[in-house]
């Protein structure tokens, strides 16, 4: 459903990621004009890996959050995908539904926003990483794990790297990750 839910998705994403300390949301901004004013249909453009890769490069982002909405009878199907540059690998996807309001009634914005935020939370929960190293020096490493994390002083955090990726032979989608331990950190201080 081209553009119908764009404002709702943007508002819900801005709200969700403002509370998620380990991520920084970069709005598409002016690059959206490239996507919407293409000679090709928008539904085709957002599936093109080369275009999305150029978008990621121009915005200087590591990942792209793509949301597609389909009208299916009396409801809408939302498909959210977290795509990792530079190979435009699909890291996670989440599907959820929202019922079409009765004829003559408008879309309940707050309920839709909550539904989208819940979809984002479920999507982020599927990602193969749990925290992000945001700084380091000779003695300290700063890690953003999010405010809701149960990490406390004295806990051990395992640092790892993605070692092996198994892809589906036909679709090329990532099916499984193998993470290798590269180190361990002991939590010395915690700051909300």
């Amino acid at each position: 459903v081209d553009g119908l839910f764009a404002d709702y998705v943007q508002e819900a994403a801005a709200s969700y990621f403002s509370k998620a300390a380990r991520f920084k949301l970069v709005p598409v901004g002016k690059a959206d004009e490239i996507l919407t004013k293409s000679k090709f249909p928008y539904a085709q453009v957002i599936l093109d890996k080369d275009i999305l890769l150029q978008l990621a490069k121009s915005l200087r982002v590591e990942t792209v959050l793509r949301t597609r909405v389909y009208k299916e009878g009396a409801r809408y199907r939302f498909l959210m995908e977290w795509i990792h540059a530079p190979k435009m690998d699909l890291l996670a996807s989440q599907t959820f539904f929202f019922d079409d309001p009765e004829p003559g009634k408008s879309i309940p914005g707050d309920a839709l926003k909550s539904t989208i935020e819940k979809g984002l939370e479920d999507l982020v929960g599927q990602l193969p990483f749990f925290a992000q190293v945001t700084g380091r020096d000779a003695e300290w490493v700063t890690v953003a794990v999010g405010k809701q994390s149960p990490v406390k002083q004295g806990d051990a955090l395992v640092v790892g790297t993605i070692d092996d990726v198994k892809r589906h032979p036909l679709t090329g989608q990532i099916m499984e990750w193998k993470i290798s331990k590269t180190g361990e950190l002991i939590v010395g201080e915690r700051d909300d």
Side-chain angles (χ1 to χ4, degrees):
V1 184
D2 291 356
L4 179 62
F5 291 98
D7 291 339
Y8 293 107
V9 171
Q10 289 172 4
E11 182 183 337
S15 174
Y16 176 80
F17 287 110
S18 70
K19 302 172 216 157
R22 68 183 189 187
F23 300 108
K24 179 183 175 191
L25 180 66
V26 178
V28 175
K30 291 181 182 179
D32 193 38
E33 291 178 27
I34 296 167
L35 299 175
T36 57
K37 295 185 178 177
S38 169
K39 293 179 183 178
F40 299 103
Y42 185 76
Q44 181 182 348
V45 170
I46 63 169
L47 293 175
D48 189 302
K49 286 186 175 185
D50 293 331
I51 292 173
L52 290 180
L53 180 57
Q54 289 303 317
L55 176 71
K57 285 181 180 178
S58 69
L59 295 173
R60 294 187 174 122
V61 295
E62 295 177 9
T63 59
V64 174
L65 177 62
R66 174 173 59 197
T67 304
R68 294 180 280 162
V69 184
Y70 300 96
K71 175 86 165 121
E72 297 177 343
R75 65 182 186 173
Y76 296 95
R77 177 171 54 98
F78 284 72
L79 174 59
M80 294 184 144
E81 298 168 312
W82 196 289
I83 303 167
H84 184 255
K87 294 184 181 179
M88 302 315 291
D89 290 322
L90 180 64
L91 295 179
S93 66
Q94 180 66 29
T95 300
F96 57 92
F97 298 91
F98 190 79
D99 292 331
D100 198 8
E102 295 176 16
K105 293 189 177 181
S106 62
I107 294 173
D110 290 343
L112 179 56
K113 181 182 172 189
S114 297
T115 302
I116 295 170
E117 286 186 22
K118 173 71 170 101
L120 283 166
E121 184 176 331
D122 293 344
L123 179 70
V124 168
Q126 296 175 37
L127 295 175
F129 49 87
F130 303 103
Q132 182 175 357
V133 175
T134 58
R136 61 187 172 135
D137 62 19
E139 295 181 31
W140 290 93
V141 176
T142 305
V143 180
V145 295
K147 213 175 196 178
Q148 290 76 21
S149 172
V151 173
K152 57 188 178 297
Q153 190 171 355
D155 283 354
L157 303 178
V158 175
V159 180
T161 185
I162 297 174
D163 188 38
D164 186 29
V165 177
K166 291 185 181 177
R167 295 179 183 273
H168 190 280
L170 299 175
T171 64
Q173 287 186 336
I174 296 173
M175 303 300 290
E176 185 180 339
W177 301 90
K178 182 178 179 187
I179 298 177
S180 297
K181 180 179 174 179
T182 58
E184 191 172 294
L185 306 170
I186 303 300
V187 178
E189 297 177 16
R190 179 192 163 128
D191 182 359
D192 284 341

